[in-house]
Amino acid sequence: MKPIFSHVGIVGAGAMGRGIAQIAAQAGSTVLLFDMQPDAAHAAQTNVFAQWDKLCEKGRLDAAQTALYKSRLQCADSLTALSGSDLIVEAVVERMDIKASLFAELENLVHPGAVLVTNTSSLSVTAIAARLKRPAQFAGFHFFNPVPLMKVVEVIAGLKTSASVCADLASYAQQMGHTPVQAQDTPGFIVNHAGRGYGTEALRIVSEGVADFATIDRILKDQVGFKLGPFELMDLTGLDVSHPVMESVYHQYFEEPRYRPSVITAQRLAGGVLGKKVGDGFYRYDGGTAQISPEEPAPQVDEMPPVWVSPRAARKSELLLLLKNLGARIETGASPSPQALSFVAPLGFDVTTVAVVERLDPARTIGIDMLVDDATTRRRVLATNPATRTDMRRAAHALMARDGKAVSVIRDSGGFVTQRVVATIVNIASDICQQSICSPTDLETAVTLGLGYPMGPLAMGNLYGPTNVLEVLFNMQTVYGDPRYRPSPWLRRRGAIGLSLLHEEE
């Protein structure tokens, strides 16, 4: 099949530009790779050639294909050499002045029908195009690293971008073997916007002293199914990359509380504690392996108190069955006896608030997160309140670990860990749809392919229940008094009428 863009110029021979050059050549385009740094383009070409040779050795490419691909990837010694390109992709440093100046120069070199695109991850496509004479021929074409493996690309329309240009770019992405998603020109586009909730909410939990980095990572991996915990992910990405994105999206949205960064990452960035690349981040690394202390074993308790379950507990019947299966002595009275360990299972509220409202003895009250079906989770999470007695905490931990399932005990927190992180992710995703930044379908595709979440954020909201997510958000807003947790109208309306979050409006 003939490629939509037969001659492609790429400016910037770093990892991103190199990856785009590789898949463009594989799609059938003749590619010219240019970089201002001497020999950078040739080094990138050598790297790509070596990758193709390795694929050939493994039998995934034949010799003829390898030779053909190599013939299509060439180096340019000047910008002028790119003048015959149908498409020019910019993949240089994330600075508005450099990008704008580069495109103004490129526009004077290429023919009027040529398309110019930026691979920016955080800058405004419209602002970059503002100095151009043909802004209709300019768009965002945002790939993710490593390009050959990350199979999603955001096609971003600036304010004056032609719809046909976006359609051609989407088709070309498919020819490259990638999945295109259409996005409006808003801060963070889709993937970097939707990803704001995971790390920032985890950082807030740490800042409140609720749990440490490793505990939060374990909870979100074991309860929700994330491949990497938020702190493992930030260590892998590097705070020199992730923190500036947090600040950029926050400031571009005029200090919207949902995207508020954390002083924790700002301080660590200033101190050079960047993550795995320097051997020291939220974890220390030895030979590239994170050094994580093992969890303490569940305590041994000789005499277990009787247990009582709040009538307002989430998944009350499931919690009672769980306790029965664990061999607990269950009280069934309207209120607990003076000897009982009281279990509460709130959505969004903290244990302290529930104990006060339900007139329970806080010294004997423990919270358990029941947002996730216990049968599907690999970890149970308990929360104490400031008055919880040590013997009650130990008894609750020992009881919940009787069947061998992992148990984490955290300090009091509105929404525990999973509830508040999941609710934040779903809420931000819902607001992306509310703003018509993209379709719900493209949102789900972009997040699952671009962020590697176990499912899209809207599917996540459907799984745990839009009404449950709403309750978590409303109650967290009450506990913290922070507009960060105000529910998006998209989520509130669909939750109120029992409509799927994936429902596309006509």
Side-chain angles (χ1 to χ4, degrees):
M1 180 185 297
K2 181 181 178 182
I4 291 174
F5 299 101
S6 59
H7 290 81
V8 176
I10 296 175
V11 182
M16 189 68 73
R18 183 176 70 231
I20 298 170
Q22 178 178 341
I23 63 172
Q26 291 171 185
S29 302
T30 298
V31 181
L32 278 176
L33 182 59
F34 172 75
D35 196 286
M36 291 294 294
Q37 296 298 319
D39 299 324
H42 288 283
Q45 181 191 51
T46 299
N47 181 284
V48 174
F49 283 5
Q51 292 185 47
W52 284 329
D53 287 336
K54 188 173 293 184
L55 291 173
C56 186
E57 291 170 7
K58 294 180 178 180
R60 293 168 62 183
L61 286 179
D62 60 37
Q65 282 179 306
T66 304
L68 181 60
Y69 290 168
K70 288 181 178 180
S71 71
R72 292 175 183 158
L73 179 53
Q74 303 160 19
C75 295
D77 56 8
S78 68
L79 275 182
T80 306
L82 307 182
S83 61
S85 301
D86 304 311
L87 171 70
I88 294 185
V89 183
E90 165 271 312
V92 301
V93 65
E94 283 285 272
R95 278 182 49 183
M96 178 66 74
D97 57 338
I98 292 176
K99 291 181 188 287
S101 176
L102 172 63
F103 281 114
E105 185 175 356
L106 286 170
E107 189 179 42
N108 290 325
L109 293 175
V110 298
H111 61 84
V115 173
L116 304 179
V117 298
T118 175
N119 186 61
T120 184
S121 60
S122 60
L123 300 177
S124 167
V125 172
T126 300
I128 297 172
R131 290 171 54 181
L132 299 182
K133 293 173 286 188
R134 298 188 295 275
Q137 296 294 110
F138 183 82
F141 206 34
H142 181 215
F143 291 85
F144 295 82
N145 233 347
V147 176
L149 300 179
M150 298 292 284
K151 296 294 187 178
V152 66
V153 56
E154 295 173 323
V155 179
I156 304 111
L159 197 59
K160 297 182 179 180
T161 304
S162 165
S164 64
V165 166
C166 289
D168 285 346
L169 289 170
S171 296
Y172 187 52
Q174 290 176 326
Q175 290 181 333
M176 291 170 153
H178 278 49
T179 300
V181 289
Q182 302 275 353
Q184 295 300 313
D185 184 20
T186 50
F189 311 129
I190 304 174
V191 174
N192 281 328
H193 187 167
R196 292 309 89 219
Y198 192 46
T200 57
E201 192 60 30
L203 286 161
R204 285 179 66 85
I205 294 168
V206 166
S207 72
E208 294 169 18
V210 173
D212 59 23
F213 306 131
T215 299
I216 293 170
D217 279 350
R218 289 183 181 116
I219 290 171
L220 291 169
K221 288 190 294 183
D222 289 351
Q223 283 207 320
V224 187
F226 289 102
K227 295 176 184 176
L228 293 174
F231 299 103
E232 291 174 318
L233 181 60
M234 284 186 277
D235 268 2
L236 181 64
T237 305
L239 289 186
D240 54 334
V241 175
S242 57
H243 182 78
V245 172
M246 292 183 203
E247 288 195 333
S248 174
V249 173
Y250 178 62
H251 291 308
Q252 286 185 77
Y253 268 107
F254 300 101
E255 286 65 58
E256 162 58 55
R258 289 192 182 105
Y259 315 127
R260 189 183 300 126
S262 172
V263 68
I264 294 173
T265 48
Q267 183 184 55
R268 286 171 170 265
L269 176 60
V273 185
L274 306 179
K276 187 175 181 178
K277 68 178 75 176
V278 297
D280 192 9
F282 294 105
Y283 302 100
R284 290 189 178 275
Y285 293 83
D286 184 2
T289 302
Q291 305 301 296
I292 305 174
S293 300
E295 292 185 83
E296 294 185 6
Q300 299 294 319
V301 175
D302 295 329
E303 186 174 350
M304 192 70 67
V307 300
W308 178 88
V309 174
S310 164
R312 302 181 188 179
R315 298 183 186 266
K316 179 188 173 186
S317 60
E318 293 175 33
L319 178 54
L320 286 168
L321 180 60
L322 169 63
L323 290 168
K324 179 182 177 181
N325 291 338
L326 292 173
R329 290 183 291 136
I330 302 172
E331 294 187 356
T332 57
S335 58
S337 70
Q339 294 77 37
L341 166 62
S342 297
F343 277 105
V344 297
L347 293 175
F349 278 127
D350 54 0
V351 178
T352 300
T353 298
V354 175
V356 171
V357 169
E358 298 190 20
R359 298 185 177 181
L360 302 173
D361 179 2
R364 290 179 168 270
T365 302
I366 289 279
I368 181 169
D369 188 354
M370 293 296 292
L371 176 69
V372 182
D373 181 4
D374 185 76
T376 66
T377 184
R378 303 200 310 266
R379 180 175 297 271
R380 300 182 182 117
V381 178
L382 305 175
T384 60
N385 68 76
T388 302
R389 286 186 351 211
T390 300
D391 61 325
M392 292 293 106
R393 176 182 59 77
R394 287 172 56 83
H397 188 170
L399 175 62
M400 286 297 169
R402 274 182 174 174
D403 60 357
K405 188 168 286 191
V407 176
S408 291
V409 183
I410 63 174
R411 292 181 178 176
D412 210 358
S413 165
F416 298 87
V417 172
T418 292
Q419 289 180 23
R420 57 192 291 181
V421 171
V422 165
T424 300
I425 289 171
V426 174
N427 197 34
I428 288 175
S430 297
D431 216 52
I432 288 174
C433 295
Q434 181 68 52
Q435 295 177 48
S436 298
I437 292 170
C438 65
S439 70
T441 300
D442 275 0
L443 172 64
E444 297 292 280
T445 299
V447 170
T448 51
L449 293 179
L451 295 176
Y453 285 4
M455 66 194 79
L458 301 179
M460 192 180 294
N462 282 341
L463 175 65
Y464 299 122
T467 54
N468 287 337
V469 175
L470 269 175
E471 186 173 350
V472 170
L473 290 167
F474 279 130
N475 292 341
M476 284 176 62
Q477 195 174 7
T478 299
V479 170
Y480 292 104
D482 192 337
R484 172 183 179 85
Y485 302 113
R486 71 192 188 284
S488 166
W490 174 278
L491 174 61
R492 182 171 55 78
R493 292 173 184 137
R494 282 154 182 76
I497 60 179
L499 192 65
S500 166
L501 297 183
L502 289 167
H503 177 75
E504 299 265 6
E505 289 189 56
E506 297 185 8

